[in-house]
Amino acid sequence: MTTSSITAPAAAQASRTSVPDPARQRRRRTLARWGFVAPAVVFMLLFFGYPLVRNVVMSFQHYTPKTFFTGHAPFNGTDNWSHVFRDALFGKALWHTLVFTAGSLLGQFCVGLALAVFFSRRFPLGGVLRSLILLPWLVPMVVSGVVWRRILDQDTGVLNSFLGTLGLGGHTPWLTSPGMALLSVILVNIWIGIPFNMVILYGGLQEIPRELYEAAALDGATAWRSFRSVTLPMLRPVITVVLVLGFMSTVKILDLILALTDGGPADATQTLGTLTYQNSFVQLDFGAGAVVGNVLILISAVFAVFYLRANRTEGK
């Protein structure tokens, strides 16, 4: 009798201790989640957060080459910002950036989408041609810029020589005329960006069910109607990715413009990216360069937020 009365409470106590604690399990799950997220957070803070904060702070400092040796960079308030905004070249560079970005995105997307639709139909040597179109995307941008600078040279360029052979003049100042230089840079950038747009859009087209096109054909829809009512709506998420990534890479382009025109002639191809370079590494005014860099970051962030929010609202 005594033995059974002793073992019963002991068994009950053992059963109570074996039941897992819900609060402890939640803490473990939370720690596990943070354990997976922590490396990404640390990476973002070190390689994106710190440079961004440092650039913002630098835009309010008198930062010169002497600062690298003395470490002394006194704060000068908004002097750098007012100096940049009062400069007439900043307004011109901002306008050129908008025109260059809009023209490049429009040309890359339209031609890339047309090629993606074209290659979505199987035909002999289609894979070979698709691979060849990828070559401009694989070549470094500086190399592409140098090659196109030789091609567009007014006196010895291949393009003018070819046009002269056809009797179409052959003396066009593609890169030396203020009225032609920006257009030439946009066309070269379109040529470089077409493969990226084509590859991403081509992948999106492959995910569209063929049954939708068959149903549209049964309803009597034409090819253009099927494109507007089936292809474009189904491609909307892919189009969002293409445009956002294209904008982020285009708005800050520097190396291509430096290789083609170096911002000239007469600042006709000066953009915010080249202005940042000129202020920081040519004039050695790092504070002014940081201001223009912050404007670039702000433009990119505003575009991404508004475009993604608008696209999400349309999806609902």
Side-chain angles (χ1 to χ4, degrees):
M1 186 70 176
T2 305
T3 305
S4 62
S5 62
I6 294 176
T7 56
Q13 184 178 2
S15 63
R16 285 196 302 269
T17 56
S18 62
V19 175
D21 185 6
R24 180 178 297 178
Q25 287 185 336
R26 285 195 297 269
R27 286 195 298 269
R28 288 179 178 178
R29 285 195 296 266
T30 302
L31 290 175
R33 294 193 192 101
W34 278 107
F36 285 109
V37 174
V41 173
V42 172
F43 177 84
M44 295 291 291
L45 290 176
L46 288 178
F47 294 97
F48 293 95
Y50 174 76
L52 178 60
V53 174
R54 192 70 190 88
N55 196 67
V56 173
V57 173
M58 189 184 298
S59 66
F60 295 97
Q61 292 178 310
H62 181 62
Y63 209 98
T64 63
K66 187 178 179 181
T67 306
F68 290 100
F69 301 97
T70 63
H72 182 62
F75 283 89
N76 57 3
T78 59
D79 289 350
N80 293 329
W81 292 82
S82 59
H83 170 72
V84 169
F85 290 155
R86 284 199 305 264
D87 189 2
L89 184 57
F90 175 79
K92 185 184 296 186
L94 179 60
W95 171 248
H96 293 162
T97 301
L98 297 177
V99 173
F100 174 77
T101 303
S104 298
L105 287 181
L106 181 62
Q108 292 171 359
F109 176 76
C110 291
V111 179
L113 180 59
L115 289 175
V117 173
F118 175 74
F119 283 111
S120 62
R121 300 180 178 181
R122 295 184 179 181
F123 58 90
L125 299 180
V128 176
L129 292 176
R130 195 164 63 246
S131 301
L132 291 177
I133 293 179
L134 291 177
L135 290 179
W137 191 28
L138 301 177
V139 177
M141 193 168 291
V142 174
V143 177
S144 298
V146 172
V147 171
W148 274 101
R149 185 169 185 169
R150 297 294 301 271
I151 293 175
L152 298 176
D153 187 88
Q154 182 177 358
D155 300 321
T156 61
V158 175
L159 181 58
N160 276 342
S161 299
F162 177 71
L163 294 177
T165 303
L166 298 178
L168 300 177
H171 299 287
T172 305
W174 298 101
L175 300 175
T176 56
S177 169
M180 290 291 299
L182 184 60
L183 175 61
S184 301
V185 174
I186 291 174
L187 292 176
V188 173
N189 192 51
I190 290 175
W191 177 81
I192 293 174
I194 285 174
F196 171 78
N197 285 257
M198 186 197 71
V199 169
I200 304 300
L201 294 171
Y202 176 82
L205 287 174
Q206 303 309 303
E207 298 299 323
I208 300 177
R210 299 294 101 183
E211 294 80 4
L212 296 179
Y213 293 105
E214 296 174 0
L218 291 175
D219 290 338
T222 62
W224 174 244
R225 180 66 180 177
S226 297
F227 178 77
R228 289 192 299 113
S229 301
V230 178
T231 304
L232 287 181
M234 296 297 293
L235 273 182
R236 182 172 297 169
V238 180
I239 292 174
T240 300
V241 173
V242 168
L243 291 180
V244 171
L245 293 181
F247 180 88
M248 296 300 182
S249 62
T250 303
V251 73
K252 61 181 179 58
I253 278 184
L254 169 66
D255 41 5
L256 177 65
I257 299 177
L258 290 181
L260 284 172
T261 62
D262 197 21
D267 296 322
T269 57
Q270 197 79 257
T271 63
L272 293 181
T274 59
L275 186 60
T276 303
Y277 172 81
Q278 293 287 340
N279 285 335
S280 298
F281 301 106
V282 177
Q283 301 177 11
L284 300 180
D285 189 352
F286 298 102
V291 171
V292 183
N294 289 329
V295 172
L296 264 178
I297 295 172
L298 183 62
I299 291 175
S300 301
V302 170
F303 173 83
V305 170
F306 276 94
Y307 189 85
L308 292 175
R309 181 170 294 181
N311 188 267
R312 184 180 304 171
T313 303
E314 292 178 4
K316 293 180 180 179

